[in-house]
Amino acid sequence: MSCMQRTVLEWATQWASRPPIVASIAYKGGDGKSTLAREVAYQTGSVLVDFDWDRGCSSRSMGYRHERYTHAPLLEALEKRETPTPIKGKRKADLIPSHPDFVNFQPDPETGADALETWARTLRRPLMIDTHPGGCDSTYAALKAADVIMVPAVFAKESLNALEGMLEELTDHPLLIVPHKVQSPPAWARKRLRDMVRKFNVPVGPVVSMETWIPTRTLNVAVCSEPVAKRAEAYVRQIDKLVEAVINYAG
């Protein structure tokens, strides 16, 4: 067993009340929250709960097609107040998939948070919640339940505007800023992020660099499941550092 595997195992089993819950949240689409959620979920052995109902959601990226099935596990679990059975992932995280109708059947934040905590206890597994961009009931449910909240920070004007609005609203939550898609950011953008971090006193995790080949991948497995790919080595090391940061912050 590697040092990373031992660290993750200890982290997942040390919690007395329930396994840890992590959320990946961004108020702007396209900042990479879903990619981070999928990779960290895989590396930590977490069940990925997909709260994003759009076509670009993690469920679809991982190969799940809701139109092939007559049942919607997420919707049925919330309606019946039961714990859903995750779909077993091969070289990717186990998944509780989303559904397009979730947009109209989101639980209120309190009910949703209670459900997530119950699922973590019943499954005896850490959860990773991938949310819909922006603020909505299911995102606030994830915020209430999460022990750590990964927030990607992309060095672009619109992304930093959205990040600042999010920090102003959510200063009392356990946020961890993750500089993401980093590739020679301009000085003004670095300064703006530094100023936000100081103003809101939010911790910053390790940098995850821009990898232009990731959006072009056709495989629906986790990048971190491809150790033989030379191009992925640096990226996997960065995700491992992010996993350590999440574990240390939650702990």
Side-chain angles (χ1 to χ4, degrees), residues 25-241:
I25 293 177
Y27 274 14
K28 180 184 176 299
D31 281 357
K33 66 169 181 56
S34 295
T35 301
L36 293 178
R38 293 193 295 270
E39 296 300 324
V40 173
Y42 176 77
Q43 288 294 72
T44 56
S46 301
V47 175
L48 196 152
V49 181
D50 191 2
F51 274 0
D52 189 355
W53 55 80
D54 285 338
R55 282 270 175 149
C57 65
S58 280
S59 299
R60 209 159 186 90
S61 296
M62 294 169 69
Y64 180 85
R65 299 290 184 270
H66 72 273
E67 57 268 27
R68 297 176 183 172
Y69 303 93
T70 57
H71 296 281
L74 177 62
L75 301 182
E76 292 176 5
L78 291 168
E79 181 183 6
K80 298 176 182 178
R81 299 192 176 185
E82 297 176 348
T83 298
T85 300
I87 297 171
K88 186 69 176 175
K90 185 176 182 181
R91 294 176 57 195
K92 54 192 169 186
D94 294 351
L95 174 69
I96 297 173
S98 192
H99 191 279
D101 290 345
F102 183 58
V103 62
N104 297 316
F105 294 96
Q106 299 174 71
D108 65 80
E110 197 67 41
T111 301
D114 288 345
L116 290 170
E117 293 183 353
T118 297
W119 297 354
R121 283 192 296 268
T122 304
L123 294 171
R124 298 182 182 178
R125 299 272 304 278
L127 300 184
M128 168 64 72
I129 319 302
D130 185 15
T131 58
H132 191 272
C136 56
D137 279 350
S138 57
T139 295
Y140 292 125
L143 283 164
K144 279 181 170 290
D147 303 294
V148 119
I149 299 158
M150 299 189 305
V151 182
V154 176
F155 290 91
K157 180 181 177 181
E158 294 80 6
S159 296
L160 292 174
N161 287 342
L163 175 63
E164 186 168 27
M166 182 178 180
L167 295 179
E168 287 176 349
E169 180 184 351
L170 305 176
T171 52
D172 58 341
H173 288 80
L175 306 179
L176 176 67
I177 292 178
V178 183
H180 194 220
K181 299 184 179 182
V182 175
Q183 185 180 41
S184 302
W188 69 264
R190 297 197 304 270
K191 180 181 184 303
R192 188 170 179 198
L193 181 60
R194 283 197 303 269
D195 290 345
M196 279 192 271
V197 167
R198 291 168 181 159
K199 177 180 179 180
F200 298 106
N201 193 28
V202 183
V204 179
V207 168
V208 179
S209 62
M210 168 72 79
E211 301 289 348
T212 56
W213 51 270
I214 288 181
T216 66
R217 292 171 74 241
T218 56
L219 292 174
N220 57 31
V221 299
V223 174
C224 291
S225 74
E226 304 180 70
V228 296
K230 289 292 183 182
R231 67 180 182 179
E233 287 180 354
Y235 182 79
V236 172
R237 286 196 297 270
Q238 292 171 353
I239 293 297
D240 282 346
K241 289 180 180 177

